[in-house]
Amino acid sequence: MPDLQPRELDDGCPDSAPKQLQELQHNGSILSIAVSDEYIFAGTSKGEIAVWSLDSYQLLQTIQAHKRSVLCIYLTNDNKYLLSSACEPIINVWCPKTFARLYEIYSTYDVGDVFSVVYSPQRDTVYFGTQTQYIQWVSLRDPARQVSQDSANHPDKRQHRFFDSRAIGGRSTPRRTEDHYALIPRAQTVLEVDSGAVFQFAHYGWIFCMRIAKGPSVLVDAEEEVLVSGGGDGTIKLWKLSDEGAEYGDGERVTGDIEELMVLGEDDSESVMSLEVDGSFLYAGKLRGIIELWDIDTKQKLRVIKAHDGNVSTLKMSFGLLWSAASGGSASKHSTVHYGRDADGTSPTVSQKYQCLSRWKGHDAKILSSAVAVHQNDQLFITGANDNAVRVWRVNGMQTPAEDGVEASDNMMLKSLEDFVACKTISSRPEFTEDCRKGATYLGALFKRLGAEVDMLSTGGLHNPIVLAKFSGKAPAEQRKRILFYGHYDVVPADTKTGNWQTDPFKLKGQDGYLYGRGVSDNKGPIIAALYAVSNLLQDRELDSDILFVIEGEEESGSRGFQDTIRRNKSLLGHIDYVLLANSYWLDDEVPCLTYGLRGVLHATVCIDSKHPDLHSGVDGSNMLSEPLTDLTLLLGKLKDRKNHVNIPGFYDGILPVTEEEELRYDDIASILMRRNPANGPVDALKRSLMARWREPNLTIHRYNVSGPDGSLISSHATANVSIRLVPGQEVEQVIESLRTFLRAEFANFESDNTLTVRIDNKAEPWLGVPGNYIFRTLEEAVMKAWASPNTEENGVVLPVDGATDGHANGDSAHSKSRKPLYIREGGSIGPIRFLEKEFNAPAAHLPCGQASDAGHLHNERLRYLNLTKSREIFKTVFRKL
């Protein structure tokens, strides 16, 4: 006989967590989970079923499913029905595609909470286990069970023998009611369970779990369905199902019946919290971390495993492995006695005996539910806990000492982005110089691994190198178009000392459909999306054009050395037909955009210096002394008037007038933003604001700096930083000369003893693209194709899409209707775009990948996962067509 004594947890099981893809947050504990091909369903302590997209991890809808906590949700194998039960005597049957409430089922008995529910497709029958230790059932196709919505037997209507009882002259307890009760959708059909369709005291304890299994024992046919139940009395029971039950006195029969086939575990009173059936083997999760393995045919307990510290609340058999999780927050995977490793993913070296392959801390809370799924070639283990979180784990390719030769995940895009974000490529701080070089090296190696010819272009001095990667198309050389994709691998600092970052900024984290990390939106995510678009085209043998990636490491520091380096290596890059970049955001979180204009920028430092050292204002200050800070303040006051009009002569000369076509664009943008958020209005003011920020120049004084310590000093040196945003029609060099001339002339009028210096720190030309040219038309078609709304109708019901909401839904819309993207201009500046366009005489276009809420340059920077994948799709279409 095998040793059935459970081992302690110091069993040498590797503490190796799989990759966590996403954490999905809700406002209630996650008590139950089910997964379809499209959606993750979670039953919560708020009586709701939350629905997330399996593609984007966006919260699509929150259904008020029950009045109280949803204890169980069950998805049928054919994805036809989603069943739910709760801390109430109501069972619901939903359509898992339209989320319509198809059936409401209730018992004529006071059954208390319904802990478990399953469905038999052979009999089209729902079985449920109750707090009162009953198993009941009802056939969905039995017309005799259909009753009106207002049946007097409904639990909300009928007299309760305890709560509604009253003494003579007394009053009954008022029925509880809450506002969210009214949000529960009305069922299309109400079914009343036949009073004879019950097996009372099926267990002598609450019936926590049930399963439907085909032919698990030699006592039934191979295709015959058997009901398996586990109860608080520690027993596991198998039930034979039949179509006809006991006969009534008038000759009619109950539809359906169950008959006890066998009982397991009568010698153990520890509650059975979870079940899984695999052929003739049965796994039972019990209290105190115990998992039992039973041979159903011989009724033998083959093995007892001490798998966790807490109660084993959930078991799942998939990918040739047993997955479990417990109330202590741990999750684990075990090899099984039945499976060796096959194409599904178990290693042939795994021992045929039960072996813990890995155990990890899944939640800092009680894990109460789990599910398994395969999506986009990834094997997923999904856990839910009372920390209000659902966590999605990618479990294929988990390397542990007990498993060798596990294949790498097919989904390398996220892994590459994760590694890229981990590089602390902060160009503005010298202490990160080595990290920037490591980031460039990583990116170059990634390009090379995916098929590119790579060069590192030195920018001179300590400036970070430019990564140049060339992917060659398959078309004849003389016919190939050559597309230059510009991006930057450097990022702005991420201050973690203030506590504003909710995650480690250099450790990519998925949460609620978003990816969080410094640079994930600006600009590492778009670079990775474009790279994997090219990689996919190469694999599909669809890449005709040459794609050149020019990725610099100094964009956040003024693109130091970029122009000189490109000019010096122009022959290496060769002829360019189109320039493409993706380094900005949509106007809001819903409508895709294309950017066709950027303002330029001029950064200058204005300095006033005295021939004297720092002086004490009391000892040395007098009206005979010219003070640098006073001179600087007066001088800067000459730059603008009270209405923000810039006083530099000729400053507004050459600015392009607004065309009729552009005016219509602003009208379209303003009206859409107003519909999204009326608080943006009125519409004329919004339109004027957009035009002022996008197509009009501006001058800003940023900061003052003075010499000497704080106190009553006359500083010998005073400086101020000034930026001027320029628009098409203004020439940068001309504005620089005009600025210097104006400041020198005004300063001369002061007759000051001090000296003036004007230093130009950085400059970038404005850029204005042509929305109607070929590259923009190609981008427009690609955006419309990628973001076209997949809404369809089925039987008059509009099917939901990613981000679709109803009156009780949460989350942003993920899809625009099938319409053109908004053509927008932006107030910010990207110096290299106009330079590249002029240097190579090639038209440029700009695809914003992120949403307005991405928080680029701010704490908690993020990029929606859906935007990442859609951007890859758009780039793939554009690279293929150009």
Side-chain angles (χ1 to χ4, degrees):
M1 290 290 293
D3 179 13
L4 297 185
Q5 293 302 312
R7 294 177 293 171
E8 296 303 317
L9 277 179
D10 58 352
D11 52 6
C13 182
D15 183 9
S16 55
K19 171 62 181 175
Q20 181 184 318
L21 294 181
Q22 282 284 323
E23 178 177 294
L24 311 177
Q25 286 286 338
H26 197 60
N27 60 0
S29 296
I30 307 300
L31 309 179
S32 48
I33 293 178
V35 183
S36 70
D37 295 337
E38 300 177 81
Y39 307 117
I40 299 172
F41 302 95
T44 78
S45 58
K46 303 286 188 179
E48 297 168 337
I49 296 178
V51 186
W52 287 275
S53 165
L54 199 53
D55 280 327
S56 67
Y57 299 113
Q58 289 289 115
L59 180 64
L60 305 183
Q61 194 159 348
T62 302
I63 306 165
Q64 190 64 54
H66 293 268
K67 295 179 180 179
R68 299 178 181 86
S69 299
V70 181
L71 299 177
C72 178
I73 52 177
Y74 177 92
L75 183 68
T76 61
N77 291 335
D78 58 2
N79 284 357
K80 183 179 180 181
Y81 297 127
L82 179 73
L83 283 63
S84 64
S85 66
C87 292
E88 62 181 25
I90 302 294
I91 299 93
N92 288 322
V93 181
W94 309 84
C95 174
K97 294 187 179 295
T98 65
F99 313 146
R101 190 184 184 197
L102 304 178
Y103 297 94
E104 176 183 1
I105 300 169
Y106 67 86
S107 170
T108 55
Y109 298 95
D110 293 326
V111 296
D113 302 342
V114 180
F115 291 102
S116 52
V117 59
V118 292
Y119 171 79
S120 164
Q122 290 180 357
R123 290 173 170 77
D124 200 18
T125 297
V126 174
Y127 298 85
F128 56 97
T130 74
Q131 184 180 8
T132 55
Q133 307 163 41
Y134 296 177
I135 293 177
Q136 289 199 264
W137 57 91
V138 63
S139 172
L140 300 183
R141 62 188 179 208
D142 184 358
R145 306 320 317 149
Q146 296 184 17
V147 295
S148 71
Q149 299 277 356
D150 299 320
S151 170
N153 290 329
H154 192 281
D156 290 344
K157 303 287 186 181
R158 67 177 181 242
Q159 188 84 2
H160 193 284
R161 60 185 179 184
F162 176 77
F163 293 107
D164 294 326
S165 63
R166 57 185 179 180
I168 297 175
R171 293 186 300 173
S172 60
T173 304
R175 297 208 173 212
R176 177 182 174 183
T177 182
E178 295 185 26
D179 291 342
H180 69 266
Y181 292 2
L183 299 175
I184 301 173
R186 190 179 181 91
Q188 296 178 12
T189 304
V190 179
L191 300 179
E192 181 179 290
V193 179
D194 193 316
S195 61
V198 60
F199 197 110
Q200 296 182 337
F201 306 109
H203 289 264
Y204 293 105
W206 297 350
I207 302 173
F208 288 117
C209 47
M210 297 198 301
R211 287 288 181 269
I212 293 287
K214 274 189 179 181
S217 167
V218 294
L219 300 178
V220 297
D221 295 336
E223 293 299 312
E224 184 177 350
E225 289 179 340
V226 169
L227 176 66
V228 185
S229 61
D233 57 357
T235 63
I236 304 154
K237 294 188 177 183
L238 276 70
W239 306 87
K240 184 178 178 64
L241 308 180
S242 60
D243 291 327
E244 290 191 350
E247 184 176 333
Y248 287 120
D250 57 4
E252 293 186 3
R253 288 184 176 274
V254 176
T255 301
D257 201 359
I258 63 174
E259 177 186 353
E260 187 179 294
L261 279 176
M262 70 174 65
V263 183
L264 306 175
E266 291 180 285
D267 58 342
D268 184 0
S269 61
E270 295 286 359
S271 297
V272 179
M273 308 302 297
S274 52
L275 287 170
E276 195 60 282
V277 179
D278 178 31
S280 63
F281 291 94
L282 184 146
Y283 301 88
K286 309 192 80 173
L287 302 182
R288 289 187 283 275
I290 297 298
I291 298 177
E292 295 177 345
L293 168 62
W294 291 85
D295 183 335
I296 296 175
D297 284 331
T298 64
K299 299 178 65 173
Q300 283 185 299
K301 188 190 299 183
L302 301 179
R303 195 168 183 92
V304 177
I305 291 290
K306 175 67 172 176
H308 300 274
D309 283 326
N311 304 332
V312 182
S313 50
T314 178
L315 288 171
K316 289 291 179 287
M317 172 66 71
S318 194
F319 322 132
L321 301 166
L322 180 67
W323 304 87
S324 62
S327 58
S330 61
S332 69
K333 68 169 182 175
H334 287 77
S335 61
T336 70
V337 295
H338 186 55
Y339 281 93
R341 169 116 18 168
D342 53 20
D344 287 317
T346 339
S347 171
T349 62
V350 172
S351 168
Q352 291 302 298
K353 295 182 178 179
Y354 227 112
Q355 185 177 5
C356 181
L357 301 178
S358 67
R359 182 186 298 116
W360 70 96
K361 189 71 171 178
H363 296 253
D364 290 319
K366 296 179 179 180
I367 300 179
L368 302 172
S369 54
S370 70
V372 289
V374 176
H375 186 67
Q376 296 179 348
N377 297 321
D378 277 331
Q379 298 170 350
L380 305 178
F381 181 51
I382 304 171
T383 55
N386 67 346
D387 57 359
N388 301 356
V390 173
R391 289 184 175 173
V392 183
W393 311 88
R394 185 170 62 210
V395 296
N396 47 317
M398 289 175 60
Q399 298 288 341
T400 71
E403 296 176 275
D404 298 320
V406 179
E407 295 181 358
S409 170
D410 292 334
N411 191 351
M412 289 302 297
M413 183 170 70
L414 272 181
K415 182 65 170 64
S416 298
L417 181 56
E418 178 183 21
D419 294 341
F420 199 12
V421 169
C423 300
K424 300 178 181 180
T425 51
I426 303 171
S427 60
S428 62
R429 294 187 179 175
E431 63 266 30
F432 291 99
T433 298
E434 186 176 339
D435 294 272
C436 289
R437 298 301 175 105
K438 288 180 179 178
T441 300
Y442 167 78
L443 187 58
L446 179 60
F447 277 126
K448 189 173 293 185
R449 189 165 71 244
L450 294 178
E453 176 186 338
V454 178
D455 289 283
M456 290 289 182
L457 307 183
S458 173
T459 54
L462 296 177
H463 298 163
N464 298 318
I466 297 171
V467 181
L468 171 62
K470 302 179 189 177
F471 291 90
S472 297
K474 62 181 175 63
E478 64 276 8
Q479 297 178 15
R480 290 183 211 158
K481 296 296 184 181
R482 307 190 83 239
I483 305 158
L484 188 155
F485 180 90
Y486 165 82
H488 64 92
Y489 61 83
D490 63 320
V491 299
V492 297
D495 184 6
T496 58
K497 295 180 181 179
T498 59
N500 289 324
W501 277 88
Q502 298 175 359
T503 64
D504 182 340
F506 297 103
K507 185 176 180 181
L508 190 70
K509 180 179 180 181
Q511 181 172 319
D512 297 329
Y514 287 87
L515 302 169
Y516 287 83
R518 172 57 84 220
V520 67
S521 184
D522 181 17
N523 182 232
K524 294 181 175 181
I527 291 171
I528 293 296
L531 169 57
Y532 275 88
V534 175
S535 177
N536 290 350
L537 287 171
L538 283 172
Q539 292 175 8
D540 297 340
R541 298 184 179 277
E542 294 182 350
L543 184 65
D544 291 328
S545 302
D546 291 345
I547 312 296
L548 284 74
F549 284 81
V550 176
I551 312 297
E552 69 159 313
E554 295 282 347
E555 194 273 346
E556 302 292 4
S557 299
S559 294
R560 297 173 297 196
F562 180 80
Q563 294 189 13
D564 290 341
T565 304
I566 294 299
R567 288 193 179 108
R568 193 168 58 247
N569 292 277
K570 192 172 179 180
S571 61
L572 183 62
L573 277 75
H575 171 73
I576 299 297
D577 292 287
Y578 302 104
V579 176
L580 181 62
L581 73 158
N583 195 20
S584 63
Y585 317 96
W586 300 349
L587 284 182
D588 61 9
D589 282 1
E590 301 184 25
V591 185
C593 301
L594 290 176
T595 301
Y596 72 95
L598 296 167
R599 292 196 292 191
V601 68
L602 168 64
H603 290 284
T605 301
V606 182
C607 310
I608 305 289
D609 289 285
S610 172
K611 61 184 178 182
H612 303 290
D614 295 338
L615 301 174
H616 191 283
S617 63
V619 175
D620 301 302
S622 73
N623 60 8
M624 299 178 62
L625 182 67
S626 298
E627 299 181 3
L629 184 56
T630 300
D631 284 353
L632 180 62
T633 303
L634 292 172
L635 182 62
L636 295 180
K638 303 291 185 179
L639 287 171
K640 293 201 297 185
D641 63 20
R642 293 177 59 186
K643 293 187 176 181
N644 282 324
H645 182 272
V646 178
N647 293 325
I648 300 172
F651 183 74
Y652 295 96
D653 295 348
I655 295 177
L656 302 176
V658 180
T659 65
E660 182 178 350
E661 183 182 13
E662 187 179 5
E663 189 90 38
L664 292 174
R665 276 196 205 104
Y666 282 104
D667 289 337
D668 189 25
I669 293 168
S671 64
I672 288 174
L673 293 180
M674 281 293 296
R675 288 200 299 270
R676 303 284 185 196
N677 184 7
N680 287 324
V683 67
D684 289 341
L686 175 59
K687 177 182 173 181
R688 182 73 191 94
S689 173
L690 292 174
M691 296 178 77
R693 286 180 281 145
W694 291 356
R695 68 168 336 275
E696 296 175 11
N698 190 47
L699 185 150
T700 302
I701 300 167
H702 294 285
R703 65 185 64 84
Y704 284 90
N705 291 289
V706 296
S707 61
D710 293 339
S712 302
L713 293 179
I714 300 172
S715 298
S716 64
H717 173 79
T719 66
N721 299 107
V722 175
S723 74
I724 302 177
R725 296 290 171 171
L726 307 173
V727 297
Q730 293 180 301
E731 294 295 329
V732 176
E733 297 302 328
Q734 184 178 334
V735 173
I736 290 173
E737 184 59 32
S738 298
L739 173 67
R740 282 177 167 154
T741 300
F742 176 78
L743 290 175
R744 286 167 182 165
E746 293 294 332
F747 185 68
N749 293 334
F750 294 171
E751 298 181 353
S752 172
D753 296 332
N754 298 322
T755 58
L756 165 69
T757 305
V758 180
R759 185 178 71 242
I760 304 303
D761 303 312
N762 181 39
K763 58 186 178 181
E765 291 188 74
W767 167 71
L768 187 65
V770 182
N773 67 10
Y774 183 65
I775 186 171
F776 269 109
R777 293 201 308 271
T778 304
L779 271 169
E780 179 182 301
E781 292 172 5
V783 169
M784 291 177 67
K785 177 183 175 183
W787 288 104
S789 172
N791 274 359
T792 57
E793 292 192 6
E794 182 177 287
N795 298 327
V797 179
V798 178
L799 301 186
V801 299
D802 292 352
T805 61
D806 66 1
H808 191 52
N810 296 287
D812 295 324
S813 173
H815 288 282
S816 148
K817 298 295 183 183
S818 183
R819 55 152 290 157
K820 292 183 178 181
L822 291 178
Y823 279 86
I824 65 172
R825 292 170 67 166
E826 295 185 29
S829 307
I830 302 175
I833 184 170
R834 178 58 180 154
F835 165 75
L836 291 170
E837 190 176 57
K838 290 171 66 175
E839 193 68 23
F840 292 98
N841 192 28
H846 189 182
L847 171 70
C849 292
Q851 300 170 287
S853 62
D854 277 3
H857 287 208
L858 305 176
H859 52 266
N860 300 313
E861 180 179 349
R862 68 183 190 175
L863 176 67
R864 187 168 56 171
Y865 176 69
L866 183 64
N867 281 56
L868 179 69
T869 58
K870 292 293 186 183
S871 297
R872 178 182 59 184
E873 183 181 339
I874 292 167
F875 287 132
K876 185 176 179 180
T877 299
V878 171
F879 290 149
R880 184 175 58 241
K881 287 189 173 184
L882 283 180

